[in-house]
Amino acid sequence: MSAAPAIRLEHVGFDYGGPPVLEDVNLDVERGAFLGLVGPNGGGKSTLLKLVLGLIEPTRGRVIVLGEPPGMRRAALGYVPQFAHFQRDFPISVSDMVLQGRLGHSRGAGRYRRDDREAATRAMVQAHIADAAGRRLGTLSGGQLQRALIARALVDSPEILLLDEPTANIDLGAEEGIFDLLKTLHETLTIVVVSHDIGFISRYVTRVACLNRRLVCHDTSVVGGKIVETLYGEPMRRIDHDSRLDPRGRP
Amino acid sequence: MSEFLRALATQGFLQNAVLAGLLASLGCGVMGSYVVVKRIAFLAGGIAHAVLGGMGVAYYLGASPMAGALVAALAAALLIGTVNLRWRQHEDTLISALWAVGMAVGIVFISRTPGYNVDLMSYLFGNILMVDRTQLATMAVLDGCILVLVLMFHRQLLAVAFDEEFARLRGVNVELFTLLLLCMAALTVVLLIQVVGLILVIALLTLPAAIASQYAGSLGRMMVLASVLGAVFTFAGLAASYGPDLPAGATIILVAGGAYLLSTFLGAPLRRRWRRSP
């Protein structure tokens, strides 16, 4: 049982009734990995996450999560959806949103229990957002909102954390903060992070998989220019993200 | 105003009307908040208008129009909920069709009913001054049902309103709670039809909650504020309509609409202060 990888995809194909979004994808994510899933927009990255979450079924092939079909192990998956997936102006506080991660744990009628609230507080401390617990979602910065979403994914103690473009709409400083947080979480969790930003995530992840309908590469090494070309179909200039902001905010 | 208050002290029908306004505002504040944050005003509008079909059939059969409204509202809620869950791509077309077909059924049945067709106007625009004791009791029961369900399932309803996909991932039965939410909205529609009629229902369902959403930090507080606003608007509208003998339902809606405009354009400094205090 312990031999089963965290996530296994066997010859997975998927389409939404039109042209294939994913074709013959084979991928093993071993336990304890920090996988960066990169690729162009529309390359099937978010679809692959939804397959792993069991929100959609593969057209061909099969998906196995922790040795079982995806729907069976949802409690073991923490999911951070893409930015602007919901309304920012929704009247809800950070702690109330984080508590929603406990819904699978405490079902039925009535209110959240004391242990739910304690778990929420722990998750908010872990994601460094506890000081904003009472604030309304709409008042948060992009980075703070992302931390709140990570806390919501952490609150039910998952084994695997799946993040869809966690740094798409936040500035460089906040982006580093998020990835430093993920690096800490990686000590106890398997992490899969979807990103379009190859250069940046290669500094943090243990492994990169490039997806453009097919799995173009799944290497542990840093993604070179040749692979970027296969992936995006044209030569691209790579920008290294090793530049850091100086105290005045200029690169 | 003083004329209205003097009349209120002596006239039973006015006391009933004020009571009806209070009972309606409770449902409108609680369910209106869900309707506004989940952005399903169009769905609620569809339910409200399809209700005329049920009222027309009940009227034709000589049954109580309110019973017909209740059955039609729940049926419309389930139908519209199914459209929302299964055929979301065609949602607007299908709900528009249900909206109009429901009204057409009602108009045909009312036209075939022998006698004087004065009731049609009161279904469409409400007649809060004609509310009797039985209707008040029914309204209280509907309020009770809504409040009990909200207290029991607030966590699930909030999760479904906020982020359906995440709720599904955490094992919430999204289909069940979406349908429950729409059925509760249907009960509220029946509640509000007594006050403003089915055409104006949607304004009373959304305006107090929309104003409340500008100030409240949580859905619970939004519900309380929206209920208070609903009560103020119905009372003020009733009072303002009494002297010049204006239609009460329409006056209530004009008061609510005016307040919404005021709050949206002049309320910004006030909002900033509210938001800063936790």
Side-chain angles (χ1 to χ4, degrees):
Chain A
M1 193 61 201
S2 62
I7 299 166
R8 166 170 279 176
L9 280 78
E10 290 174 356
H11 305 288
V12 168
F14 184 81
D15 61 69
Y16 288 100
V21 181
L22 294 173
E23 256 187 292
D24 197 34
V25 174
N26 290 288
L27 178 69
D28 268 5
V29 182
E30 59 280 18
R31 293 182 196 224
F34 188 163
L35 176 78
L37 191 61
V38 300
N41 287 332
K45 304 186 298 288
S46 298
T47 303
L48 197 147
L49 280 195
K50 285 191 190 339
L51 284 166
V52 171
L53 288 162
L55 285 169
I56 49 178
E57 299 265 320
T59 324
R60 277 171 301 280
R62 59 183 197 144
V63 181
I64 302 161
V65 177
L66 298 165
E68 292 184 59
M72 308 295 293
R73 296 304 305 270
R74 266 181 196 164
L77 298 175
Y79 176 49
V80 180
Q82 240 179 66
F83 218 79
H85 169 75
F86 48 81
Q87 298 149 34
R88 289 280 306 260
D89 62 352
F90 199 103
I92 189 171
S93 68
V94 170
S95 59
D96 280 348
M97 185 189 75
V98 171
L99 272 169
Q100 289 184 357
R102 292 286 286 187
L103 275 169
H105 202 267
S106 72
R107 289 158 181 278
R111 302 154 63 91
Y112 288 104
R113 292 191 308 263
R114 192 197 174 112
D115 53 335
D116 296 324
R117 300 193 175 279
E118 286 168 358
T121 307
R122 275 197 304 277
M124 287 187 286
V125 169
Q126 221 180 341
H128 306 294
I129 192 68
D131 50 345
R135 278 176 57 190
R136 187 171 152 154
L137 223 54
T139 66
L140 300 183
S141 73
Q144 286 173 317
L145 178 60
Q146 206 52 252
R147 286 173 185 281
L149 289 170
I150 291 173
R152 181 177 72 157
L154 288 176
V155 70
D156 211 8
S157 318
E159 292 174 47
I160 307 173
L161 190 61
L162 305 165
L163 303 100
D164 198 350
E165 299 276 10
T167 56
N169 281 288
I170 60 184
D171 58 65
L172 189 62
E175 187 171 356
E176 283 196 13
I178 295 291
F179 271 99
D180 287 337
L181 169 63
L182 293 182
K183 206 170 165 183
T184 316
L185 294 173
H186 176 227
E187 288 163 14
T188 52
L189 286 174
T190 307
I191 299 181
V192 177
V193 55
V194 160
S195 178
H196 60 277
D197 190 347
I198 301 174
F200 192 82
I201 70 164
S202 60
R203 287 223 321 258
Y204 293 89
V205 298
T206 58
R207 192 179 154 201
V208 173
C210 326
L211 192 68
N212 189 5
R213 196 157 50 86
R214 292 167 177 281
L215 209 57
V216 180
C217 62
H218 39 101
D219 213 314
T220 47
S221 60
V222 174
V223 182
K226 183 71 188 157
I227 291 164
V228 173
E229 203 179 313
T230 341
L231 192 58
Y232 290 89
E234 59 188 71
M236 281 179 69
R237 231 178 55 183
R238 272 184 70 218
I239 298 161
D240 280 318
H241 290 262
D242 288 333
S243 54
R244 299 202 177 254
L245 292 174
D246 78 2
R248 282 158 307 190
R250 284 197 298 264
Chain B
M1 189 66 179
S2 61
E3 183 194 0
F4 172 75
L5 290 177
R6 261 200 308 281
L8 182 61
T10 52
Q11 303 287 339
F13 77 96
L14 267 188
Q15 289 158 9
N16 281 357
V18 168
L19 214 52
L22 287 176
L23 287 170
S25 55
L26 204 60
C28 108
V30 172
M31 288 316 294
S33 295
Y34 283 119
V35 167
V36 165
V37 296
K38 197 166 163 52
R39 307 209 173 163
I40 50 168
F42 183 63
L43 274 65
I47 294 172
H49 287 74
V51 157
L52 188 65
M55 290 179 111
V57 172
Y59 186 59
Y60 178 78
L61 296 174
S64 145
M66 196 154 168
L70 206 53
V71 173
L74 290 173
L78 293 174
L79 210 59
I80 283 176
T82 311
V83 167
N84 175 261
L85 292 165
R86 297 274 165 79
W87 297 290
R88 195 165 278 188
Q89 279 161 322
H90 305 290
E91 190 179 30
D92 57 340
T93 316
L94 290 171
I95 290 172
S96 308
L98 192 75
W99 180 308
V101 168
M103 290 202 84
V105 168
I107 291 165
V108 166
F109 271 94
I110 289 167
S111 81
R112 301 311 296 168
T113 307
Y116 195 48
N117 279 342
V118 71
D119 286 343
L120 181 61
M121 280 296 275
S122 75
Y123 296 162
L124 294 179
F125 300 106
N127 202 340
I128 193 173
L129 299 177
M130 299 280 279
V131 173
D132 60 31
R133 292 271 162 191
T134 328
Q135 282 169 314
L136 284 178
T138 315
M139 290 174 80
V141 170
L142 290 178
D143 268 330
C145 290
I146 291 167
L147 285 181
V148 167
L149 285 168
V150 166
L151 285 174
M152 281 174 74
F153 299 114
H154 180 66
R155 297 183 308 161
Q156 285 85 351
L157 293 170
L158 176 66
V160 167
F162 177 67
D163 187 345
E164 244 175 54
E165 188 180 76
F166 192 85
R168 195 187 301 279
L169 287 173
R170 299 271 55 108
V172 175
N173 189 334
V174 171
E175 285 76 16
L176 179 72
F177 283 104
T178 303
L179 291 179
L180 180 65
L181 197 63
L182 286 171
C183 284
M184 289 158 73
L187 297 185
T188 313
V189 161
V190 175
L191 199 63
L192 296 182
I193 281 176
Q194 308 299 317
V195 179
V196 290
L198 57 90
I199 294 204
L200 305 181
V201 155
I202 202 65
L204 204 52
L205 198 56
T206 54
L207 289 175
I211 298 171
S213 77
Q214 295 169 343
Y215 303 94
S218 74
L219 192 57
R221 267 179 251 172
M222 182 174 162
M223 289 172 176
V224 173
L225 185 55
S227 297
V228 171
L229 287 171
V232 170
F233 296 158
T234 44
F235 188 83
L238 206 55
S241 70
Y242 184 76
D245 195 21
L246 296 168
T251 313
I252 291 168
I253 297 300
L254 289 177
V255 171
Y260 178 71
L261 284 180
L262 273 179
S263 174
T264 304
F265 292 109
L266 302 178
L270 193 66
R271 271 202 293 284
R272 272 197 293 278
R273 199 174 315 146
W274 270 61
R275 285 231 174 118
R276 224 175 302 143
S277 61

